[in-house]
Amino acid sequence: MSEKIKVGFLLLGGCAGCEMAVVDLSEKLVDALAHLEVVFWAPTVADVKYHDLEAMDDGYIDVAFIDGMIRLDEHIHMAKVMRKKAKTLIAFGVCAALGGTAGMGSLHTKEELFSKAFKNTPTTDNPDNIYPSPHCLVDGKYDLTLPTYEDKVRTLNQIVDVDYYIGGCPPHHSHVEIAIGALVSNQLPPKGSWITNGKAVCDVCKRNPTRNGNGGRIMVDKVLRMVDGVPDENVCLLQQGYLCFGPITQGDCGGSCLNVNIPCRGCGGPIPGNEDYGAQALTSIASILGSEDATASLMEKYPNLAKFFYRYALPSGTLPRKM
Amino acid sequence: MSFSPNIVGFACQWCTYAGADLAGNLRCKYPPTVKLIKVPCSGRVKPEYVLQALAQGADGVLVGGCHFGDCHYKDGNYKTKHRMDLLTKLIADMGFDPRRLRLEWISGAEGQKFAKVITEFTEELIALGPNPLKKEEELINE
Ligand code: SF4
Ligand code: SF4
Ligand code: SF4
Ligand code: FES
């Protein structure tokens, strides 16, 4: 057998859920490991340190997966190191690809975020208002440092060149399996592409009205949120007034959310040909609003449209942060 | 010294664009602040265009279409209305003054109205000041 493909995993500003999706491959991961050699997996799985990656020869890793967005100077540094060490770099999961839910942090100032996280949550007890700071001297002799916090969230490709994108929060393990299969069999698409089946969520959704002969587009007069009722499980959510982003989202998840009766919020990333996810989401949703009352009810139900339309994609948008 | 706003205008070819032509023929006076882009219908204006104009430093964006009932594609301008209402709220959530986006129905016979809209919009933008992004850029360049 030919030499194994050397792979590396690096978690930046994410939750490691994307890496859980790799672990979720279970026996299939064991099979894949016949063809893959994991040479780096930090900081989550392997007992390796950042300096081990820095010490590798440039181009030593064949394929690197980076999950998580970029918010710290440490993220920027490590993304650049990984880029040098890897022949092929994959933005793995929607955080790395588009900024992810954490990208909504760019709608707030650092002060707002820090006071929420370290002071004002009901479970926080911080009478001395101690906030993390990049430098800290402990006992007068230990000079400790923490990474510094950048003024906004960035996507991976705003820092380094990215060869492939994989959507999902996290990517569905069946999709990870397909991606790893493509990697092992050397059947990756042209560089710069998303690794995707190319279908929208609607295309794989069992409620799709065109397939069910259930009528076409129905204009709605009233917008509903999930707290307003329980949607009919067999009818397209848009037809019922529940706002679903299935039409504009890549369906590599197999319509996971629709299978459990909740609307798609776009973690799969934009279907091809769309450069600004949130703007496209706005256009798509506006096209089913049947009256000005419907528009008004949408704005009343969703008080922050930036957070609604750009749930997973704000840092990749035309306006990537709040002014 | 004095601030002259930069307005990007998307004008439907059947009405607002013709209205702008008529304003010229009638020799209406209005400030030279608008750069008009002809579009087939106001419904052709994607939210991306407005966001891009703002991202590239436009102080205001005008979207001009036919009056309700007059759209050559029947309901293009109704779609525009829903989209622009949401977009106005979206840009406010992104930290822009929502008055930087203006939607107007101006027919081909309303040259005077076109001139009036540009004059008013210009005054409003002078009061609002430059696009906040431009200020940030200037600060960085200084
Ligand atoms: S994409 Fe989702 S699962 Fe992956 S790191 Fe980001 S938040 Fe976690
Ligand atoms: S809009 Fe949502 S519910 Fe309707 S077909 Fe598409 S994915 Fe399914
Ligand atoms: S249905 Fe949409 S939000 Fe849900 S997992 Fe699939 S792409 Fe993500
Ligand atoms: S043709 Fe003028 S708005 Fe549609």
Side-chain angles (χ1 to χ4, degrees):
Chain A
M1 199 193 75
S2 60
E3 238 180 276
K4 287 189 178 183
I5 300 169
K6 294 191 183 65
V7 295
F9 292 90
L10 173 65
L11 168 67
L12 300 178
C15 72
C18 289
E19 297 177 15
M20 285 307 299
V22 178
V23 176
D24 276 348
L25 289 173
S26 48
E27 312 87 66
K28 288 176 186 137
L29 180 60
V30 178
D31 295 342
L33 286 175
H35 309 279
L36 304 175
E37 179 188 356
V38 179
V39 293
F40 186 83
W41 195 333
T44 43
V45 170
D47 186 15
V48 285
K49 303 285 181 240
Y50 286 168
H51 59 75
D52 296 317
L53 183 65
E54 282 159 354
M56 286 177 192
D57 289 337
D58 287 357
Y60 177 74
I61 298 177
D62 293 309
V63 182
F65 294 77
I66 292 186
D67 51 324
M69 52 67 174
I70 310 272
R71 175 60 119 163
L72 304 174
D73 61 347
E74 175 181 296
H75 298 152
I76 296 178
H77 172 70
M78 288 313 296
K80 288 181 177 164
V81 173
M82 187 51 114
R83 177 65 275 190
K84 267 209 215 131
K85 306 300 168 188
K87 292 195 192 86
T88 297
L89 180 64
I90 300 182
F92 185 48
V94 76
C95 278
L98 303 176
T101 49
M104 289 186 285
S106 288
L107 292 169
H108 298 276
T109 62
K110 177 181 166 184
E111 287 64 36
E112 284 169 355
L113 296 172
F114 273 42
S115 63
K116 187 70 168 181
F118 300 109
K119 187 156 179 269
N120 295 331
T121 37
T123 49
T124 303
D125 182 24
N126 184 5
D128 301 329
N129 287 337
I130 298 171
Y131 286 178
S133 77
H135 292 284
C136 168
L137 197 64
V138 179
D139 295 344
K141 52 184 171 175
Y142 303 109
D143 191 5
L144 305 181
T145 58
L146 278 177
T148 57
Y149 200 73
E150 298 284 311
D151 65 340
K152 60 172 182 244
V153 175
R154 291 189 181 92
T155 63
L156 186 58
N157 71 2
Q158 288 165 1
I159 301 296
V160 294
D161 278 342
V162 170
D163 298 312
Y164 297 107
Y165 302 85
I166 294 181
C169 177
H172 195 275
H173 58 82
S174 64
H175 185 46
V176 178
E177 187 191 334
I178 292 168
I180 290 192
L183 175 69
V184 168
S185 59
N186 199 15
Q187 284 177 340
L188 288 171
K191 285 208 172 177
S193 314
W194 286 74
I195 298 176
T196 174
N197 64 15
K199 291 180 178 157
V201 175
C202 292
D203 208 331
V204 296
C205 175
K206 61 178 192 315
R207 308 166 189 239
N208 189 319
T210 337
R211 198 173 313 127
N212 296 348
N214 217 353
R217 172 158 58 184
I218 294 178
M219 306 297 268
V220 300
D221 274 318
K222 201 166 149 229
V223 163
L224 296 168
R225 278 187 85 147
M226 295 310 288
V227 288
D228 297 325
V230 180
D232 183 330
E233 293 201 21
N234 299 311
V235 178
C236 170
L237 290 176
L238 284 176
Q239 291 183 324
Q240 302 179 62
Y242 294 94
L243 304 181
C244 179
F245 295 166
I248 59 156
T249 305
Q250 292 180 146
D252 300 296
C253 61
S256 299
C257 294
L258 291 311
N259 292 338
V260 294
N261 213 12
I262 58 172
C264 174
R265 278 292 165 267
C267 84
I271 50 169
N274 163 20
E275 259 133 49
D276 186 324
Y277 185 88
Q280 187 65 39
L282 187 156
T283 302
S284 153
I285 293 302
S287 71
I288 63 138
L289 300 173
S291 63
E292 288 186 30
D293 286 350
T295 317
S297 87
L298 191 162
M299 291 196 275
E300 187 205 313
K301 300 259 173 179
Y302 292 94
N304 189 317
L305 293 186
K307 287 183 180 173
F308 177 52
F309 291 127
Y310 289 99
R311 179 75 48 92
Y312 293 97
L314 189 88
S316 69
T318 311
L319 298 171
R321 58 187 278 212
K322 191 166 176 177
M323 290 313 110
Chain B
M1 186 202 80
S2 73
F3 160 60
S4 169
N6 191 354
I7 301 170
V8 173
F10 295 98
C12 163
Q13 62 177 345
W14 300 108
C15 50
T16 306
Y17 201 83
D21 261 350
L22 183 62
N25 288 338
L26 294 174
R27 296 174 193 274
C28 296
K29 279 211 164 57
Y30 62 91
T33 44
V34 65
K35 286 155 185 90
L36 270 196
I37 298 169
K38 183 153 92 172
V39 288
C41 168
S42 67
R44 181 66 184 85
V45 180
K46 287 170 93 177
E48 283 90 323
Y49 302 165
V50 175
L51 296 175
Q52 250 167 47
L54 290 173
Q56 292 179 21
D59 302 304
V61 180
L62 173 75
V63 176
C66 310
H67 289 270
F68 287 135
D70 288 352
C71 173
H72 281 53
Y73 311 97
K74 280 193 195 154
D75 58 356
N77 51 2
Y78 285 94
K79 294 199 171 90
T80 311
K81 172 76 175 131
H82 296 152
R83 240 180 250 160
M84 294 303 146
D85 281 355
L86 294 179
L87 188 57
T88 306
K89 176 66 170 53
L90 177 72
I91 66 166
D93 292 337
M94 298 299 304
F96 285 92
D97 192 299
R99 286 170 293 178
R100 291 190 187 277
L101 172 58
R102 197 169 175 134
L103 177 62
E104 293 283 351
W105 311 129
I106 304 170
S107 80
E110 292 176 318
Q112 311 256 5
K113 180 170 180 188
F114 180 84
K116 188 165 158 260
V117 164
I118 300 300
T119 309
E120 278 175 14
F121 197 15
T122 303
E123 278 161 14
E124 188 164 56
L125 290 170
I126 290 174
L128 287 175
N131 179 332
L133 264 179
K134 255 195 315 204
K135 262 191 250 161
E136 246 174 62
E137 241 170 61
E138 274 160 27
L139 283 179
I140 293 165
N141 291 339
E142 259 167 33

